[in-house]
């Protein structure tokens, strides 16, 4: 399957990646190879196979509704690159 | 009010916070407020290596909400990751449900201007709430993740509404249902119920829907109605001027009274959903569904019919009492204990609702027990006090919470029906008002009412009006 340069740029943008010209070239080729490889699945007859929602055959793993003590805030914020007033501080976002 | 050639098409996405004790995937409290980031742990702040496990109550509540809105309950349901970058979401994805929601194909019946209509529900799915961003004047944006991971259900309607009144009726009905089945407090001021509005317009008779705009995050029904009115007018104007509607996200600016376009979200709509590998599928048996169904209380629709049939209420009054389970309960207890439920309804509609604002009505913030209202109505019904004295007693009940029987006893409010006692007073009144008596004798009907008024005044409103009338007629014709 052919992958366009626009598709690579779109995916990179969604992942917040800034790619260089050289990387865009390389990933276009790489991605094409990966998708082509995966395309082999289309050759299989899957009429009889149930869609897989999860690879592990376990279901209904539930927790009781019980409130437990939360985490120490200082510990929680310990690795934050930036913090202020008990909050994680992030670059300004404007709606 | 709008262009006569156009029709409005509205669909709603309602987010409702569930009233669990703990968050959806961790044991942190769901309590509202708290110092920033004190209701948080590594799971709800999206630290690497953590494992979320779903709260069983969330599944139960979602199914309750689904059953109360005539939904099908999915035998097999799964949770998916919805990916987007925004700092209110520490994981850079929200756990939600994509193609296999827990409930689907439901309906909610509404009544607008005496007409009934069914609004179809597409689905109800489970998801986690996001955190709160504090936009300070300074350089950065601060993130408080206390709300992050609070369980939500999102209820998605079909585009079945054709006016903002229908949308409002739908929201109010849905809210009442969610409160009655006890899955949410639906506190608007705490954001536990909010909606996104999808609105488009089209020429009447046109089959295809017009291009729609989405108005995000409305947390007040009246603002939502205003936003819909504005947006419909805006779209009609654009089309009438030969322009085109762009599919976009808008927000309501309450101060300016307009909807404003938000940054183009075309790309943000590419959410790249995929099944969350940390969470196992939810399988619900028919037995489980039946068990939950059996635990549902009587729903607002059925209560409304019952109030109308059993207590003779109008559709409007019945709907007013169904604003919340607390209010409905107050009415029902008061009605059950009184000789005249219709009069009980009138007191609530008249005096009580006059003294309460919307929020207080809903919470039924009434300073006395419902049985006291029954007693008051019964005192009037059996003629122990007159209606006007009843109002005085009510006022005192409201201010002090005192039992009406006690108030009547202590204040000596008992209605006077004793003819002998009233005759004495009547003779006095007639002697003191010779002019009015003369007027009456010369044929002025009005003069009679004036004499009745004097009698009531002389007895501080405690004379039985029927006895007074008969008595005056008798004395004056002698
Ligand atoms: Zn947590």
């Amino acid at each position: 399957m052919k992958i366009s340069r626009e598709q690579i740029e779109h995916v990179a943008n969604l992942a917040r990646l800034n790619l260089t010209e050289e990387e865009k070239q390389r990933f276009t080729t790489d991605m094409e190879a990966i998708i082509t490889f995966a395309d082999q699945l289309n050759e299989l007859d899957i009429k009889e196979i149930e869609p897989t929602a999860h690879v592990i055959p376990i279901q209904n793993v539930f927790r009781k509704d019980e409130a437990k003590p939360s985490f120490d805030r200082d510990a929680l914020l310990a690795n934050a690159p930036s913090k202020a007033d008990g909050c994680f501080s992030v670059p300004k976002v404007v709606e | 009010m709008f262009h006569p050639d156009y029709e409005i098409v509205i669909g709603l996405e309602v987010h409702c916070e569930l009233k669990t004790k703990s968050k959806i995937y961790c044991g942190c409290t769901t309590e509202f407020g708290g110092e920033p980031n004190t209701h948080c742990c590594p799971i709800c702040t999206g630290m690497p290596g953590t494992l979320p496990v779903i709260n069983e109550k969330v599944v139960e509540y979602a199914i309750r909400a689904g059953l109360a809105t005539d939904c099908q309950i999915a035998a097999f349901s799964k949770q998916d990751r919805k990916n987007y970058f925004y700092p209110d979401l520490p994981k850079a994805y929200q756990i939600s449900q994509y193609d296999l929601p827990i409930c689907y194909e439901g309906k909610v019946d509404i009544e607008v201007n005496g007409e009934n209509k069914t609004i179809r529900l597409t689905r109800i799915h489970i998801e986690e709430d996001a955190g709160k961003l504090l936009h300070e004047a300074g350089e950065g944006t601060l993130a408080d993740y206390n709300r992050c991971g609070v369980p939500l259900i999102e209820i998605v309607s079909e585009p079945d509404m054709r006016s903002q009144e229908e949308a409002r009726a739908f929201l109010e009905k849905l809210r009442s249902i969610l409160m009655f089945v006890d899955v949410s407090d639906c506190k608007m001021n705490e954001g536990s119920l909010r909606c996104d509005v999808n609105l488009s317009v089209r020429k009447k008779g046109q089959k295809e829907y017009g291009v729609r705009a989405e108005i995000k995050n409305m947390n007040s029904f009246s603002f939502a109605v205003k936003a819909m009115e504005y947006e419909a007018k805006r779209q009609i104007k654009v089309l009438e001027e030969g322009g085109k509607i762009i599919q976009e996200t808008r927000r309501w600016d309450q101060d300016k009274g307009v909807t404003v376009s938000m940054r183009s979200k075309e790309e943000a709509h590419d959410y790249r959903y995929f099944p969350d590998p940390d969470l196992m599928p939810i399988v619900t048996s028919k037995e489980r569904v039946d068990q939950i169904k059996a635990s549902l209380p009587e729903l607002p629709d059925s209560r409304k019919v019952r109030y109308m049939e059993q207590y003779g209420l109008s559709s409007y009054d019945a709907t007013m009492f169904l604003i919340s389970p607390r209010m409905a309960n107050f009415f029902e207890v008061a009605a059950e204990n009184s000789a005249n439920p219709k009069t009980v309804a009138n007191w609530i509609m008249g005096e009580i609702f006059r003294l309460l604002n919307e929020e207080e009505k809903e919470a039924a913030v009434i300073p006395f027990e419902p049985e006291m209202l029954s007693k008051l109505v019964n005192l009037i019904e059996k003629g122990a006090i007159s209606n006007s004295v009843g109002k005085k007693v009510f006022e005192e009940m409201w201010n002090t919470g005192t039992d009406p029987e006690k108030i009547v006893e202590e204040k000596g409010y008992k209605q006077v029906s004793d003819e002998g006692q009233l005759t004495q007073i009547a003779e006095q009144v007639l002697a003191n008002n010779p002019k009015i008596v003369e007027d009456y004798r010369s044929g002025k009907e009005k003069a009679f009412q004036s004499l009745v008024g004097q009698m009531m005044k002389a007895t501080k409103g405690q004379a039985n009006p029927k006895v007074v009338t008969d008595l005056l007629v008798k004395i004056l014709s002698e």
Side-chain angles (χ1 to χ4, degrees):
Chain A
M1 188 184 155
K2 193 90 186 124
I3 296 292
S4 72
R5 192 191 161 80
E6 285 71 39
Q7 280 171 305
I8 290 295
E9 282 171 350
H10 175 66
V11 171
N13 182 35
L14 288 172
R16 301 290 186 272
L17 295 173
N18 291 313
L19 301 182
T20 63
E21 275 309 309
E22 187 269 323
E23 282 170 329
K24 282 182 193 168
Q25 284 284 274
R26 182 149 55 85
F27 287 135
T28 308
T29 324
D30 282 0
M31 189 76 93
E32 213 166 280
I34 293 165
I35 300 287
T36 307
F37 176 74
D39 271 347
Q40 291 178 59
L41 290 171
N42 290 338
E43 292 160 20
L44 300 173
D45 179 6
I46 53 162
K47 273 204 295 287
E48 306 295 316
I49 299 172
E50 285 279 307
T52 308
H54 206 288
V55 290
I56 306 170
I58 301 176
Q59 49 201 216
N60 292 351
V61 179
F62 298 135
R63 219 187 75 239
K64 288 252 173 277
D65 181 27
E66 285 162 357
K68 302 237 166 75
S70 285
F71 222 56
D72 177 65
R73 184 166 74 180
D74 291 333
L76 204 66
L77 291 166
N79 293 325
S82 176
K83 56 202 156 198
D85 304 336
C87 291
F88 295 87
S89 176
V90 298
K92 198 170 184 86
V93 287
V94 191
E95 257 306 284
Chain B
M1 61 176 302
F2 298 109
H3 198 294
D5 297 346
Y6 286 88
E7 175 178 61
I8 309 170
V9 176
I10 299 167
L12 295 169
E13 292 166 22
V14 179
H15 291 88
C16 166
E17 265 178 16
L18 301 175
K19 57 191 278 187
T20 56
K21 295 187 193 75
S22 63
K23 289 186 178 179
I24 183 167
Y25 300 118
C26 64
C28 291
T29 179
T30 53
E31 210 174 293
F32 186 76
E35 284 295 304
N37 295 304
T38 54
H39 300 166
C40 296
C41 72
I43 293 175
C44 56
T45 49
M47 299 291 179
T50 51
L51 187 67
V53 181
I54 194 169
N55 183 339
E56 61 182 7
K57 275 281 173 205
V58 172
V59 177
E60 184 189 326
Y61 286 172
I63 294 173
R64 277 177 87 79
L67 290 172
T69 50
D70 278 330
C71 282
Q72 304 293 315
I73 307 303
F76 185 94
S77 179
K78 70 177 169 70
Q79 296 164 85
D80 303 276
R81 292 185 181 178
K82 177 181 181 180
N83 300 279
Y84 65 95
F85 286 107
Y86 201 65
D88 62 357
L89 215 54
K91 299 192 292 292
Y93 60 82
Q94 178 193 29
I95 305 174
S96 180
Q97 295 197 286
Y98 183 51
D99 55 339
L100 296 172
I102 187 102
C103 311
Y104 58 98
E105 290 173 8
K107 68 176 176 62
V108 169
D109 292 327
I110 57 166
E111 187 188 324
V112 175
N113 300 329
E115 285 194 31
N116 295 307
K117 185 168 178 178
T118 296
I119 308 299
R120 293 168 299 155
L121 299 185
T122 317
R123 58 189 279 163
I124 299 179
H125 67 251
I126 294 166
E127 62 184 29
E128 55 179 343
D129 206 349
K132 192 168 96 185
L133 297 182
L134 309 157
H135 302 277
E136 301 273 292
E139 285 179 12
T141 289
L142 301 180
D144 170 10
Y145 294 133
N146 282 352
R147 300 315 292 161
C148 206
V150 168
L152 298 177
I153 46 174
E154 179 175 333
I155 302 158
V156 183
S157 87
E158 291 287 312
D160 284 350
M161 286 152 275
R162 294 289 173 272
S163 69
Q164 65 275 25
E165 288 85 10
E166 287 183 11
R168 188 187 185 113
F170 172 79
L171 288 168
E172 279 170 353
K173 183 62 170 294
L174 190 60
R175 181 158 182 273
S176 172
I177 292 171
L178 294 169
M179 288 174 89
F180 272 92
V181 293
D182 208 21
V183 301
S184 174
D185 296 331
C186 294
K187 286 188 185 154
M188 312 288 293
N189 56 351
E190 292 181 5
S192 62
L193 195 74
R194 45 191 203 258
C195 70
D196 300 339
V197 177
N198 287 300
L199 187 147
S200 65
V201 299
R202 63 178 169 189
K203 279 267 170 72
K204 279 182 184 157
Q206 182 183 315
K207 269 220 143 90
E208 313 79 54
Y209 292 126
V211 177
R212 65 188 159 84
E214 183 180 17
I215 313 165
K216 278 276 186 200
N217 231 350
M218 308 293 314
N219 62 1
S220 142
F221 291 170
S222 47
F223 290 178
V225 166
K226 282 184 194 154
M228 287 183 248
E229 272 171 25
Y230 175 87
E231 183 59 19
K233 281 184 192 158
R234 184 191 72 84
Q235 292 187 13
I236 291 168
K237 186 160 181 276
V238 170
L239 293 174
E240 279 298 291
E241 287 169 357
K244 268 192 166 172
I245 305 297
I246 317 157
Q247 182 165 347
E248 61 179 351
T249 305
R250 300 178 73 86
R251 70 179 171 80
W252 172 244
D253 184 328
Q254 171 61 17
D255 294 333
K256 299 201 180 93
V258 297
T259 62
V260 193
S261 179
M262 290 164 78
R263 69 188 149 72
S264 165
K265 280 203 168 177
E266 287 161 63
E267 225 151 37
H269 275 303
D270 197 343
Y271 292 129
R272 294 147 294 142
Y273 284 95
F274 67 90
D276 192 311
D278 287 341
L279 293 158
M280 301 303 143
I282 301 162
V283 173
T284 308
S285 67
K286 191 174 171 305
E287 290 69 41
R288 178 72 178 132
V289 173
D290 289 343
Q291 187 191 12
I292 295 174
K293 197 180 265 173
S295 76
L296 291 182
E298 187 185 13
L299 295 174
D301 273 341
S302 152
R303 276 180 202 252
K304 185 172 162 184
V305 172
R306 187 161 61 79
Y307 290 179
M308 290 166 74
E309 285 173 358
Q310 192 174 338
Y311 303 125
L313 300 196
S314 69
S315 164
Y316 180 79
D317 288 6
T319 308
M320 292 292 286
F321 298 154
L322 291 167
I323 185 170
S324 73
R326 292 181 72 106
M327 194 62 237
N329 186 53
F330 184 93
F331 165 69
E332 283 191 36
V333 173
E336 279 307 316
N337 288 291
S338 102
N340 191 338
K342 185 81 182 74
T343 314
V344 165
N346 291 342
W347 276 91
I348 299 176
M349 289 298 289
E351 298 301 311
I352 294 182
F353 280 5
R354 179 172 60 81
L355 292 160
L356 300 178
N357 63 31
E358 281 306 306
E359 227 166 276
E360 292 166 335
K361 268 185 216 169
E362 181 192 307
V365 193
I366 299 164
F368 49 76
E369 296 300 312
E371 289 88 350
M372 291 199 192
L373 182 61
S374 322
K375 280 187 187 175
L376 174 64
V377 168
N378 291 347
L379 284 168
I380 300 169
E381 284 290 312
K382 67 180 187 211
I385 56 173
S386 68
N387 214 28
S388 59
V389 168
K391 293 220 165 143
K392 279 198 236 171
V393 174
F394 175 86
E395 201 170 308
E396 189 150 343
M397 277 163 69
W398 187 270
N399 293 331
T400 63
T402 312
D403 187 291
E405 286 170 0
K406 202 167 161 219
I407 297 172
V408 169
E409 193 64 45
E410 282 177 359
K411 298 262 161 135
Y413 277 158
K414 266 219 151 54
Q415 181 157 279
V416 182
S417 303
D418 180 73
E419 221 171 292
Q421 197 182 341
L422 289 175
T423 306
Q424 276 188 356
I425 300 169
E427 277 162 358
Q428 194 101 53
V429 165
L430 296 180
N432 292 344
N433 298 283
K435 173 84 175 64
I436 305 178
V437 173
E438 204 176 301
D439 284 352
Y440 173 73
R441 292 225 156 99
S442 66
K444 286 190 185 156
E445 286 293 322
K446 267 197 183 159
F448 187 77
Q449 280 316 309
S450 168
L451 289 170
V452 173
Q454 293 291 334
M455 280 295 290
M456 296 313 283
K457 204 172 154 195
T459 57
K460 299 197 183 83
Q462 283 166 251
N464 182 327
K466 172 92 176 58
V467 179
V468 166
T469 307
D470 293 349
L471 198 64
L472 285 176
V473 169
K474 199 174 120 201
I475 299 175
L476 288 166
S477 62
E478 273 166 5

